[in-house]
Amino acid sequence: MHVIRVPSSLDYSTVDSVFQQCAQVAEGKALFDAGYLRFVDPQGLVGLLSAGALLKRRLGQAPHLRLPRQTKVLGYLARIRFFEQARRFFSMQARRPREFAASSDVLLEITPVTTNSDVHAVVDRVQSRAGTILTRTLGYPLVTVVQFSVVLSEVCQNIIEHAEAPGWVAAQAYYWAKRRERWMLVIAVSDLGRGFRESLAAEHAGGYGKRWGDGTALEAAFLHGVTRFQDSGRGQGIQQIRRQVRRWDGLISIRSGTARIADVPDWDDTPALEQGLARFPGAQINIVLPAKERGKEKSRMTDPGPDS
């Protein structure tokens, strides 16, 4: 039995450890041990789903997921609809009391995206909730609600047009007490498609020669706006997202294959380019938007649980 240990704090900065462990599993049975999970954000959850789906595909059987011991964390997983998606890829022992089905203040629960109609449903659902969170909690102007919906639509559309494979999106605002001492909005997208290098190879690999690889493909798309479409009006979503996130002083990173590229604001220390990571055969987009005002009073913990 291969044991994959889920970090006690699972977010965009630690989820790579899960993929690194999965890369060592080629056959047999696997157990994801999340028993000590104390904090998790949307990026950590869609990453965990992706890891489970990849191992199920590789091993031909569902890995087992040992659920967190803390009831507060279990409650959050239920509210963000993690279990609805996880049962497709994991075997797990049911430990969800009825009270965990309470309504959620999550901006967007984990939502599968496979068709254009899914994208429209996601945007419609978010628009009804985004106003309060973006304006009152994060201090953004009201016009941001429309701009945010455009960004969310673009990241979902990227799954359909670029990946051509199923994926998930989730978003939530919460207070980063230990990190930035302010409210943050985290948007997480993950798909299990072809990845950037394979998607762009037919049109662009020849021009890069031996330099073509995961990092080069990400730089081409992220920095230079290279797309797989010959029509200049298509495939510019990544560039639009990047420009808007920069206006909001946010962080955006994309992981695909063995590389990750990021546009990093002054308040974060994420490397601009990382290579040699454990292979991920799809793409992950992570966006973090900070509140406009430092020191906003922490009215209450939203959902992720202790130690956020």
Side-chain angles (χ1 to χ4, degrees):
M1 174 75 75
H2 301 276
V3 178
I4 297 156
R5 303 194 183 281
V6 177
S8 60
S9 180
L10 184 63
D11 59 14
Y12 79 94
S13 67
T14 61
V15 71
D16 268 344
S17 67
V18 175
F19 294 124
Q20 290 168 0
Q21 295 175 76
C22 288
Q24 308 302 315
V25 181
E27 58 182 3
K29 296 182 178 180
L31 165 68
F32 285 77
D33 186 359
Y36 296 97
L37 184 65
R38 302 177 69 236
F39 170 81
V40 61
D41 76 352
Q43 187 65 46
L45 287 179
V46 297
L48 185 58
L49 285 174
S50 300
L54 291 172
L55 272 196
K56 182 179 180 181
R57 178 191 301 174
R58 184 185 307 162
L59 302 179
Q61 58 183 320
H64 186 73
L65 176 62
R66 180 175 292 160
L67 297 178
R69 292 181 171 88
Q70 290 197 1
T71 56
K72 189 172 184 180
V73 178
L74 281 173
Y76 172 63
L77 296 185
R79 284 188 289 272
I80 201 169
R81 298 181 182 174
F82 172 78
F83 295 113
E84 294 179 20
Q85 301 301 316
R87 67 168 63 101
R88 299 167 54 194
F89 311 111
F90 296 99
S91 65
M92 51 189 173
Q93 183 177 358
R95 289 176 54 199
R96 290 184 292 156
R98 183 176 302 172
E99 60 266 27
F100 284 171
S103 61
S104 172
D105 58 359
V106 174
L107 180 60
L108 177 66
E109 296 87 350
I110 298 174
T111 305
V113 177
T114 58
T115 65
N116 283 310
S117 61
D118 291 336
V119 177
H120 297 316
V122 164
V123 173
D124 289 344
R125 187 186 310 168
V126 166
Q127 283 183 331
S128 65
R129 305 178 183 179
T132 299
I133 290 177
L134 290 173
T135 59
R136 186 179 304 172
T137 304
L138 298 181
Y140 284 61
L142 187 59
V143 68
T144 304
V145 177
V146 175
Q147 297 168 340
F148 177 77
S149 297
V150 172
V151 167
L152 194 63
S153 177
E154 291 290 349
V155 294
C156 292
Q157 198 66 38
N158 187 74
I159 295 175
I160 298 170
E161 291 195 348
H162 168 76
E164 298 179 347
W168 304 273
V169 59
Q172 184 177 13
Y174 60 92
Y175 192 83
W176 281 18
K178 286 190 173 181
R179 298 188 181 183
R180 308 299 172 197
E181 295 187 351
R182 68 161 91 178
W183 284 85
M184 296 282 186
L185 174 61
V186 175
I187 308 166
V189 179
S190 184
D191 69 69
L192 302 177
R194 298 185 296 165
F196 276 73
R197 181 177 67 174
E198 185 178 341
S199 178
L200 299 174
E203 294 290 333
H204 304 286
Y208 288 86
K210 293 182 179 179
R211 295 189 297 118
W212 186 252
D214 292 318
T216 307
L218 283 176
E219 287 181 324
F222 194 70
L223 301 179
H224 307 299
V226 168
T227 80
R228 68 186 180 93
F229 300 108
Q230 295 183 356
D231 182 353
S232 60
R234 296 186 65 192
Q236 297 297 319
I238 293 297
Q239 289 291 296
Q240 295 176 22
I241 296 166
R242 184 185 175 211
R243 285 193 294 268
Q244 187 60 66
V245 170
R246 177 174 288 184
R247 292 189 193 104
W248 291 331
D249 192 33
L251 165 71
I252 176 172
S253 68
I254 303 178
R255 189 198 195 291
S256 184
T258 59
R260 177 190 290 107
I261 195 167
D263 206 348
V264 187
D266 292 340
W267 51 263
D268 196 80
D269 56 3
T270 298
L273 180 65
E274 297 174 86
Q275 301 193 72
L277 304 174
R279 177 166 295 281
F280 180 81
Q284 292 181 306
I285 300 176
N286 179 64
I287 298 173
V288 183
L289 304 178
K292 291 297 184 182
E293 300 177 16
R294 288 188 178 273
K296 281 182 76 72
E297 182 180 355
K298 180 183 176 184
S299 59
R300 64 188 178 91
M301 177 58 59
T302 47
D303 262 338
D307 296 338
S308 59

